Every structure is written in C-alpha cells, then in structure tokens.
C-alpha cells in the first residue's frame, strides 16, 4: 500500500517537473533577431577569410622554407671553380627565397662588395614582403572580431531594454532575459573568431621569422664566401 502511494507520488512529481529546454546552435543564430543574425553572419565571413589566409600562407611559407641541404655547398664549389653560369643555373633550379637571394648575389659578382650586399638586402625585403602578404589581415580580424561581437551584444541589450521601456516596465522577465542571453552569443562568436585569428597570426609570424633567419644566414655565408682569399 505504501509502495503504491510512493510510486504514484513520484509519477505525479515527474509530470509536474518542467520539460528541459535545449537551445541549438541554429536557434542561437536566428533567434537573436535581424541585428544578431547580421552580426553573426559578418563574424562567420571573417572566420572563413581568416582560415583561408592562414592555411594559404602556411603552405606558402612551408614551401619557401624547403631548401636543398647541399645547395650552398654546390654554389660555393661553382664559385670557387669560377663557374658562375653553373651557379646561376643551380639557383634557378631551386625555387626558394634563399636561392633567389643567392642568385641576386651571384649576378652581382665582380661588383664592389657593398653593391652586392645592397642588392641582396633589397631582394631580401621583397622576399619578406611576399612571405608576409595578407598576414596583416589576420591581425585586423583578431582585433575586429571581438569588437564586432561586443557591438552585437550592445545592440541586443539596447533592444531588450527598449522593449522593457516600451512596456512601461511590465515586460516579461523571461523574454527579456532570453533576448539578453541571445545577444551574448555575438560576444562568444566574436571572441572565437578573434582567438582563432590571433593564434593563426602569431603562428605565421613565427614561421616567417624562421625563413627570414634562414635567408639572413645564407646572405652572411655568401658574403663570407666572396671575402675568402683566392
């Protein structure tokens, strides 16, 4: 008898409990109104642009960092033997910033050492520019993403309090809280975009610096080669 009573009481309690409501990602995007949807759409476009630039630059920098380990030794042997044309051909075969810097120096052999150094430096600046192409856009997205997200949140808050003011303070707290909660999703989206772009930017900077150091070391080796006594 007691067991039956407890079972019925448990069933009634379960029926009275409110059904748990879940909120999907799609609902978070489209339930925020026109302003929230526009902000999320802008952030999504920025995310796609950031990911495209990151992977495009990453593959380009990786390709630029690949150089034959025997490249400089072959160039040294050709120059030591007086075979300048063979050195130029070897540089043309190696499609990398290091090879292009070396080719610029080889083409200036016979000129004053200062002129050779200046030519290599100018070529190096062009190579660095090509490596860093569009990378600054990642830095811009890293800063603009969170700001756009905060803008969406502020717009959502303004609309929510406008609804409260229009109803003379009689607006339902549920709808008010839901509007603010949905508006906060733009902040989350903006921070996600900003964090991804920031990490991608710094990773590319580190990769680019490695290639730049490799070019500087090559330039030093080449100039030292020209300074060696015959």
């Amino acid at each position: 008898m007691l067991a039956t009573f407890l079972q019925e009481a448990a069933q009634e309690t379960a029926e009275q409990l409110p059904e748990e409501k879940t909120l999907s990602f799609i609902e978070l995007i489209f339930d925020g109104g026109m302003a929230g949807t526009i902000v999320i759409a802008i952030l999504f476009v920025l995310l796609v642009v950031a990911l495209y630039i990151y992977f495009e630059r990453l593959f380009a920098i990786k390709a630029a960092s690949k150089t034959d380990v025997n490249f400089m030794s072959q160039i040294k042997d050709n120059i030591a033997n007086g075979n300048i044309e063979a050195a130029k051909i070897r540089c043309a075969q190696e499609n990398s910033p290091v090879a292009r810097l070396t080719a610029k120096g080889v083409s200036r052999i016979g000129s004053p050492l200062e002129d050779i150094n200046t030519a290599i430096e100018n070529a190096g600046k062009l190579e660095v520019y090509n490596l860093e192409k569009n990378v600054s856009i990642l830095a811009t997205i890293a800063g603009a993403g969170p700001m756009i997200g905060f803008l969406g949140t502020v717009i959502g808050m303004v609309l929510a309090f406008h609804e409260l003011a229009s109803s003379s303070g009689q607006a339902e707290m549920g709808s008010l809280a839901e509007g603010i909660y949905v508006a906060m999703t733009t902040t989350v989206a903006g921070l996600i975009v900003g964090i991804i772009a920031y990490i991608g930017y710094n990773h590319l900077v580190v990769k680019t610096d490695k290639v730049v150091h490799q070019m500087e070391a090559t330039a030093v080796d080449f100039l030292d080669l020209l300074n060696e006594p015959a």
Side-chain angles (χ1 to χ4, degrees), residues 55-135:
F55 285 108
E56 187 273 333
R57 286 291 87 199
L58 180 64
F59 294 143
I61 293 172
K62 281 187 175 181
S65 63
K66 293 181 180 179
T67 305
D68 188 356
V69 293
N70 298 320
F71 173 73
M72 281 308 299
S73 61
Q74 294 172 353
I75 296 297
K76 290 179 180 179
D77 292 340
N78 289 327
I79 293 177
N81 296 328
N83 197 348
I84 306 301
E85 288 301 321
K88 292 180 179 179
I89 294 174
R90 183 65 186 92
C91 291
Q93 294 173 344
E94 192 78 14
N95 185 23
S96 67
V98 168
R100 287 189 285 272
L101 254 65
T102 306
K104 182 64 67 174
V106 171
S107 65
R108 295 292 192 276
I109 289 180
S111 302
L113 193 61
E114 185 65 27
D115 293 342
I116 298 176
N117 186 27
T118 301
I120 293 176
E121 287 182 355
N122 292 334
K125 292 178 182 178
L126 293 176
E127 293 296 335
V128 172
Y129 174 79
N130 290 329
L131 289 174
E132 295 178 343
K133 183 175 62 177
N134 295 330
V135 174

Side-chain angles (χ1 to χ4, degrees), residues 211-222:
V211 179
V212 172
H213 293 157
Q214 186 178 8
M215 290 190 295
E216 291 176 347
T218 301
V220 171
D221 288 344
F222 182 80

Side-chain angles (χ1 to χ4, degrees), residues 110-185:
S111 302
L113 193 61
E114 185 65 27
D115 293 342
I116 298 176
N117 186 27
T118 301
I120 293 176
E121 287 182 355
N122 292 334
K125 292 178 182 178
L126 293 176
E127 293 296 335
V128 172
Y129 174 79
N130 290 329
L131 289 174
E132 295 178 343
K133 183 175 62 177
N134 295 330
V135 174
S136 60
I137 297 178
L138 277 181
T140 303
I141 294 176
M147 295 176 65
I148 294 174
F150 292 145
L151 175 63
T153 298
V154 172
I155 292 174
M157 298 278 285
V158 169
L159 294 176
F161 282 105
H162 178 266
E163 180 182 351
L164 180 62
S166 300
S167 60
S168 301
Q170 300 300 321
E172 295 183 3
M173 291 303 298
S175 60
L176 185 63
E178 183 178 356
I180 297 174
Y181 174 74
V182 173
M184 293 298 291
T185 59

